[in-house]
Amino acid sequence: MKKIRVEEAVGSVLAHDITRIVAGETKEVGFRKGHVVKDNDIPELIKLGKRNLFILKLSENELHENEAAFRIARSISGDNLKLTQPVEGKINVMSSCDGLLKIDFERLLQINRLDDVIVATLKTLTPCRAGQVVAATRIIPLTIDSKKIEKIVDISASDPLVKVKPYRKLRVGCVVTGSEILEGLVKDGSDEFVISKARKMGCEIVKKHVVSDDSYAISMAISDLKSNGCELILATGGLSIDPDDVTRIGVKNSGAEIINYGCPVLPGSMVLYARLDGIHILGLPACVYYHQTTVYDLILPLILADEPVTRDYFASMGHGGLCLQCSVCRFPDCSFGR
């Protein structure tokens, strides 16, 4: 790398981006790598604090920051991801679809333990939208030994450590329990608070049953939804410990295997998850009707992304399972479920 006075740089090619900062207003690239310096650039370069420029000549074993970032981003990125162009040596990794972000934390740690390299990501299992930035990478110096980048490629070779699992568009049925709802004494809010969330994630709503607090009626409703080809059945209410809350019994009597009942998440501790011949059954407690974000928002993306939902996973949800009930909900851009 050769250092020359800025006044002598006319005709030279910049080897790195030069940043322009206006305090309190903007930070942007003033001159990009590859720019050929012209006479009228000199006053602006001096204004940006540049009295000298560095003309870079790379050896065979060196990579420029842009090329290094591109190789890192390409090696860590799996399905349903796309890369941005490098800006000041940084490349963003964006989701190309709605889905669930999966990060291999152990291999991410391996990479970030290497000197002069960074890879930053969102938390694993974050629900993300198409076009959302989920990771970014760069090197710290202007250039880097290519062997270090080859180590990163080797770490990611077996399977990319950043990927997005797209949501499946499942056929969904709903069982709303409660004699007071069946008799019209209380308004049925399932369309607004439960079904709408599945529909927004691309699911097809096949059928809904409103039944009394009767285990036989609940099991028959589940059987009917199964016969109508539902792949996910949402059952709301009747999941507390009161004697007349019999949704869990109704689910069991349908022939389903109850995988988990109750989990360390607030709101939503009385959630139920069961499987019936490959069909997901998600029992949702009454909190889904009056809290904007609950355990439902944590489990539904897992099911739609075909991510295993196990007893161990439910137990692990206690770490990050406390919703702060913010006056303005920012989920999933918060600690809930993380």
Side-chain angles (χ1 to χ4, degrees), residues 109-118 148-149 151-152 155:
L109 187 59
Q110 278 185 265
I111 291 174
N112 283 323
R113 279 176 171 157
L114 299 173
D115 292 336
D116 297 333
V117 172
I118 66 161
K148 187 167 289 187
I149 303 304
K151 287 183 181 179
I152 296 173
I155 290 171

Side-chain angles (χ1 to χ4, degrees), residues 177-202:
T177 68
S179 301
E180 71 281 8
I181 299 175
L182 179 63
E183 296 169 8
L185 302 176
V186 174
K187 180 184 176 182
D188 174 17
S190 61
D191 288 337
E192 179 181 357
F193 297 104
V194 177
I195 291 174
S196 62
K197 290 188 176 182
R199 183 177 281 119
K200 285 179 181 177
M201 297 179 77

Side-chain angles (χ1 to χ4, degrees), residues 116-152:
D116 297 333
V117 172
I118 66 161
V119 177
T121 74
L122 301 183
K123 289 280 191 176
T124 191
L125 300 185
T126 295
C128 54
R129 295 293 185 183
Q132 182 175 350
V133 176
V134 299
T137 185
R138 67 169 304 148
I139 62 171
I140 301 301
L142 184 59
T143 66
I144 195 168
D145 190 326
S146 61
K147 291 181 179 179
K148 187 167 289 187
I149 303 304
E150 289 169 8
K151 287 183 181 179
I152 296 173

Side-chain angles (χ1 to χ4, degrees), residues 44-113:
E44 182 63 19
L45 287 164
I46 293 174
K47 184 179 177 181
L48 294 177
K50 299 300 177 183
R51 295 297 184 269
N52 300 286
L53 297 177
F54 292 89
I55 307 303
L56 189 64
K57 293 185 178 180
L58 299 178
S59 70
E60 291 183 359
N61 297 323
E62 285 182 301
L63 293 176
H64 185 273
E65 59 178 354
N66 286 353
E67 177 63 18
F70 176 73
R71 292 194 188 184
I72 296 169
R74 185 173 58 184
S75 68
I76 67 172
S77 299
D79 297 335
N80 306 305
L81 294 168
K82 57 185 179 181
L83 310 182
T84 65
Q85 291 298 312
V87 176
E88 297 181 280
K90 184 188 77 170
I91 288 181
N92 288 332
V93 180
M94 302 170 61
S95 176
S96 60
C97 68
D98 293 352
L100 194 68
L101 178 66
K102 291 295 298 294
I103 305 294
D104 186 322
F105 172 75
E106 292 302 325
R107 289 190 292 147
L108 177 65
L109 187 59
Q110 278 185 265
I111 291 174
N112 283 323
R113 279 176 171 157

Side-chain angles (χ1 to χ4, degrees), residues 257-264 269 271-274 310-312 314-315:
E257 176 190 4
I258 296 179
I259 307 298
N260 200 80
Y261 172 59
C263 76
S269 59
V271 69
L272 177 146
Y273 176 69
T310 64
R311 284 182 58 82
D312 283 345
F314 276 106

